[in-house]
Amino acid sequence: MHNAYFQFAAPQNEPVYSYAPGSPERVALKKQLAAFKAAPVDLPMYINGQEVRTGKTVEIHPPHEIKHKLGQFHMGDASHVKTAVDAALAARAQWAATPWEQRAAIFLRAAELIATKYRYHMNAATMLGQSKNAYQAEIDSACELIDFLRFNVHYLTEIYKQQPASPQGIHNRTEYRPLEGFLLAVTPFNFTAIGGNLPTAPAMCGNVVVWKPAETAVFAAAMFMQILIEAGLPAGVINLVYADGPTLGDICFNHRDFAGLHFTGSTGVFQQMWKIIGGNINKYRAYPRIVGETGGKDFVMVHASAQVDVVATALARGAFEYQGQKCSAASRAYLPSNIADAVLNKLKEMLGTMKMGTVEDFGNFINAVISERSFDKIAAYIDNAKKDPKAKIFAGGGYSKTDGYFVEPTVIVTTDPLYTTMCEEIFGPVLTIYVYEADQFEATLDIVDKTSDYALTGSIISQDRYAIDLATKKLENSAGNFYINDKPTGAVVGQQPFGGARASGTNDKAGSALNMYRWLSARTVKETMVPPTDYKYPFLSADAGA
Ligand SMILES: NC(=O)c1ccc[n+]([C@@H]2O[C@H](COP(=O)([O-])OP(=O)(O)OC[C@H]3O[C@@H](n4cnc5c(N)ncnc54)[C@H](O)[C@@H]3O)[C@@H](O)[C@H]2O)c1
Ligand SMILES: N[C@@H](CCC=O)C(=O)O
């Protein structure tokens, strides 16, 4: 029974802990890392609120310490995907009818549990499973995930308030229903927060979800699922399955009740899914909503007026934090000839101080890349650059997979603005730099715009306001998130809604009201207080026959 309009506190961004030497959070996190390393985990799927163990197990190893076994997860097959879809559909009616304040409370409670009781569990699982240092885990698996949960509750509350006008004698209203069917959330390895956001954003809206995380991120995903259950998420609302992509797609994309896809990952996989959904369009009850945030080839454009230290720092952080495995990572930069040498030398000096190794050693800025497949792909790009006359390895270039998948932060300088590594997404710690004549700023902006099919993030670094204005205008379509005098990474929920256009995705801006609208289907209801009782218009009765 609703007998009040409920309000939720306006959300604030979760404060980022520093993990500085001697801090209590550093002690607590190290303790949790040690605990996880001492006791291997056995991770089930979660279908209809039940833990499902198949016995077909896949081992989990930290990418930076591949000989250590962290535990295992239980792989599912087509039958588990089917059961998950059935469980979701069975849960739908009751969940959709549950009042907003009750649904919201579950996600706010999950946010609170992560902020307090499970902060170090989430961070340690992300550090060990996905090879993130403490700071990178903190901004992801603690703060960004908490922010997604709290801010999305706020955005949805604001959406529900939006109502049409009602003139005298008529009451109009808009109801924001969940979609008719189930949602599929398919999530990438690189951000635990994205893994958490993709199933929960539609679920908040009253939808039911089948969630498949990347195999390399199962540890943190399962931890988050346990927290959702502890927070009171009813059985069947979100069903976490581990299945290979094509098997999952075969069941979900052929189902009459498939209502939408919430995807983040590579462009190729998303385009393949879209094609299959398009080919099956006659099978569905309604047009599925398709939201996908995908790859990037993110740029840093530097003007002749830029400060050397600002540029070198933006490149060092933007390109190499989390080993360049952010969709937003700077992977191509354009330096003006007047400061290029100074920037390159400063950058090399910074890279020389970056330590690489395990996540337990908090002195390491660089950890491992996610998998052997990824390592081999990155190493091939580096090897090709070593052989190509158009490219020169300016810094780094080394790699080893003896103990873990380690790739040195690598800077390639090229004489060709269309060299392969200026165009293709590598998704590793490789930055390619093209030096342009300082008086060719505007022509180089055209090159920046046309070089890549992607349009995710980009930066302009300049002290000249006219140059900033020109770049902002000319690169309007080149990046969904555009930064002025900053690195192109590190968007914060509620501050820089995130997403790109062109081949980078549908630009529905994760962590914003725009995204929440995609999971709602509006019904408009008009009620007439005193209905008319005669079909004739007034003018007909007044001048009858004239
Ligand atoms: N734009 C963004 O907001 C954003 C954010 C994070 C990552 N990314 C992108 O994600 C990519 C890196 O993540 P990744 O390596 O996990 O991406 P990926 O495309 O390899 O995998 C993403 C998800 O899709 C699944 N998948 C793969 N093939 C499938 C298939 N045929 N059918 C169904 N599911 C399938 C994977 O198992 C995983 O769960 C990069 O391209 C990066 O730019 C984009
Ligand atoms: N919020 C992150 C998203 C990165 C995606 O992989 C950023 O802006 O760097």
Side-chain angles (χ1 to χ4, degrees), residues 119-166:
R119 192 179 199 105
Y120 307 114
H121 293 73
M122 287 302 295
N123 283 347
T126 299
M127 290 170 73
L128 292 168
Q130 291 138 262
S131 203
K132 284 200 177 192
N133 67 36
Y135 181 77
Q136 290 300 315
E138 170 72 7
I139 60 170
D140 168 19
S141 42
C143 301
E144 190 170 355
L145 181 51
I146 293 165
D147 287 349
F148 273 134
L149 294 165
R150 291 183 180 149
F151 278 78
N152 281 343
V153 165
H154 170 71
Y155 296 133
L156 192 50
T157 305
E158 294 300 307
I159 291 171
Y160 285 151
K161 282 186 203 162
Q162 290 170 22
Q163 292 298 318
S166 292

Side-chain angles (χ1 to χ4, degrees), residues 104-420:
I106 295 167
F107 300 101
L108 292 175
R109 190 161 138 72
E112 213 57 29
L113 284 168
I114 298 169
T116 55
K117 187 174 169 188
Y118 293 116
R119 192 179 199 105
Y120 307 114
H121 293 73
M122 287 302 295
N123 283 347
T126 299
M127 290 170 73
L128 292 168
Q130 291 138 262
S131 203
K132 284 200 177 192
N133 67 36
Y135 181 77
Q136 290 300 315
E138 170 72 7
I139 60 170
D140 168 19
S141 42
C143 301
E144 190 170 355
L145 181 51
I146 293 165
D147 287 349
F148 273 134
L149 294 165
R150 291 183 180 149
F151 278 78
N152 281 343
V153 165
H154 170 71
Y155 296 133
L156 192 50
T157 305
E158 294 300 307
I159 291 171
Y160 285 151
K161 282 186 203 162
Q162 290 170 22
Q163 292 298 318
S166 292
Q168 178 126 25
I170 292 173
H171 180 219
N172 294 321
R173 62 181 195 265
T174 299
E175 298 169 355
Y176 298 93
R177 298 164 303 150
L179 307 184
E180 206 178 354
F182 72 93
L183 267 294
L184 176 63
V186 180
T187 62
F189 79 83
N190 67 333
F191 269 78
T192 297
I194 297 175
N197 181 46
L198 267 50
T200 54
M204 267 182 210
C205 301
N207 293 290
V208 288
V209 184
V210 173
W211 172 22
K212 192 207 89 62
E215 281 189 27
T216 39
V218 164
F219 193 2
M223 181 69 53
F224 179 57
M225 192 68 208
Q226 287 165 29
I227 293 169
L228 286 175
I229 291 169
E230 185 171 329
L233 190 76
V237 173
I238 295 176
N239 301 277
L240 177 63
V241 294
Y242 319 130
D244 80 84
T247 303
L248 177 93
D250 197 41
I251 307 290
C252 296
F253 299 148
N254 278 300
H255 201 292
R256 177 166 162 70
D257 292 309
F258 170 67
L261 170 68
H262 203 187
F263 176 84
T264 297
S266 56
T267 299
V269 170
F270 184 53
Q271 291 186 351
Q272 184 59 25
M273 288 175 160
W274 194 308
K275 276 187 204 154
I276 295 170
I277 296 166
N280 287 344
I281 200 69
N282 293 329
K283 295 183 180 171
Y284 306 130
R285 188 185 295 281
Y287 295 108
R289 301 278 172 90
I290 304 177
V291 172
E293 300 304 334
T294 59
K297 189 68 194 173
D298 311 300
F299 60 84
V300 174
M301 175 65 187
V302 182
H303 184 252
S305 63
Q307 287 175 289
V308 169
D309 288 1
V310 170
V311 179
T313 305
L315 293 178
R317 285 190 171 173
F320 301 118
E321 281 180 332
Y322 190 39
Q323 296 77 259
Q325 299 171 115
K326 300 189 186 194
C327 56
S328 51
S331 62
R332 54 181 169 128
Y334 302 80
L335 298 183
S337 50
N338 63 320
I339 56 167
D341 283 346
V343 170
L344 283 166
N345 290 335
K346 186 73 197 177
L347 182 58
K348 192 180 242 178
E349 189 187 313
M350 287 178 175
L351 299 192
T353 66
M354 282 181 188
K355 285 173 60 192
M356 181 163 75
T358 67
V359 299
E360 289 99 315
D361 179 346
F362 281 25
N364 291 328
F365 185 86
I366 303 281
N367 309 114
V369 300
I370 192 69
S371 64
E372 184 166 23
R373 189 160 155 251
S374 180
F375 175 93
D376 289 344
K377 179 181 156 192
I378 299 164
Y381 276 108
I382 293 174
D383 288 346
N384 287 338
K386 284 176 180 167
K387 286 181 272 181
D388 200 307
K390 286 182 284 189
K392 179 172 162 258
I393 305 282
F394 176 76
Y399 49 75
S400 161
K401 56 181 174 183
T402 311
D403 301 320
Y405 307 119
F406 291 107
V407 180
E408 285 177 5
T410 297
V411 178
I412 298 171
V413 177
T414 182
T415 50
D416 177 4
L418 299 181
Y419 179 64
T420 323

